[in-house]
C-alpha cells in the first residue's frame, strides 16, 4: 500500500511485520515495567535496610505484598458511590497506558530516510 501524494511521496509498506514490531515492543515494555517496578522498590528498601544495619525483608517483599493485596476482597460502604469502584480501575489503566506510550529507546531511522537526508 502506498501512502502519500505527489511526486515527493515515499512508498510505505504496511505489513504485519511493520505493524507487529511496535506492538510487540509496547507489550514487552509494559511487561518489563510491571515486573521491574516492585522489584526496584524491593532493591531500594533492601539497600536502605543494609545501610541502616538491618537485614531487611528481601527484594521480593513488594511482590508478596501485591499478591496479598490482590487476594483481599474489596470493602465498600453500603451508600458509596460508583466512583469508589471505578477509581482504582482508572488509575491502573492510565498507569499501564503511560508505560506503553513512553518510549523506552530512541526511534530508529530507516536506511531510506538516511539516504535521502544526505
Amino acid at each position: 500500500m502506498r501512502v502519500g501524494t505527489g511526486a515527493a511521496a515515499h512508498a510505505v509498506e504496511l505489513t504485519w511485520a511493520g505493524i507487529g514490531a511496535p506492538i510487540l515492543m509496547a507489550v514487552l515494555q509494559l511487561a518489563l515495567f510491571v515486573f521491574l517496578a516492585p522489584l526496584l522498590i524491593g532493591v531500594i528498601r533492601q539497600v536502605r535496610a543494609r545501610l541502616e544495619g538491618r537485614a531487611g525483608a528481601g527484594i521480593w517483599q513488594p511482590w508478596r505484598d501485591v499478591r496479598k493485596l490482590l487476594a483481599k476482597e474489596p470493602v465498600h460502604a453500603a451508600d458509596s458511590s460508583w466512583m469508589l469502584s471505578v477509581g482504582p480501575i482508572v488509575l491502573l489503566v492510565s498507569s499501564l497506558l503511560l508505560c506503553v506510550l513512553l518510549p523506552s529507546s530512541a526511534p530508529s531511522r530507516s536506511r531510506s530516510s538516511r539516504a535521502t537526508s544526505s
Side-chain angles (χ1 to χ4, degrees):
M1 173 182 212
R2 290 188 181 269
V3 177
T5 59
H10 297 285
V12 177
E13 289 294 323
L14 297 177
T15 62
W16 282 108
I19 295 172
I23 292 173
L24 180 65
M25 183 64 178
V27 169
L28 181 66
Q29 181 174 327
L30 179 66
L32 192 66
F33 281 149
V34 167
F35 175 74
L36 289 181
L39 190 62
L40 180 63
I41 291 170
V43 169
I44 290 171
R45 287 179 181 170
Q46 187 69 30
V47 168
R48 182 180 292 166
R50 293 293 167 111
L51 288 174
E52 294 174 356
R54 298 181 288 116
I59 62 173
W60 296 104
Q61 183 62 42
W63 275 111
R64 290 190 286 270
D65 294 341
V66 167
R67 188 179 67 208
K68 181 180 177 182
L69 285 173
L70 289 176
K72 287 187 173 186
E73 193 173 319
V75 178
H76 299 291
D79 58 347
S80 64
S81 171
W82 59 272
M83 291 178 70
L84 189 64
S85 299
V86 174
I89 296 169
V90 170
L91 178 65
L92 177 68
V93 169
S94 63
S95 298
L96 294 177
L97 189 61
L98 186 65
C99 287
V100 168
L101 294 178
L102 285 176
S104 62
S105 62
S108 62
R109 293 175 56 187
S110 65
R111 291 183 186 182
S112 62
S113 64
R114 279 187 243 144
T116 57
S117 64
S118 300

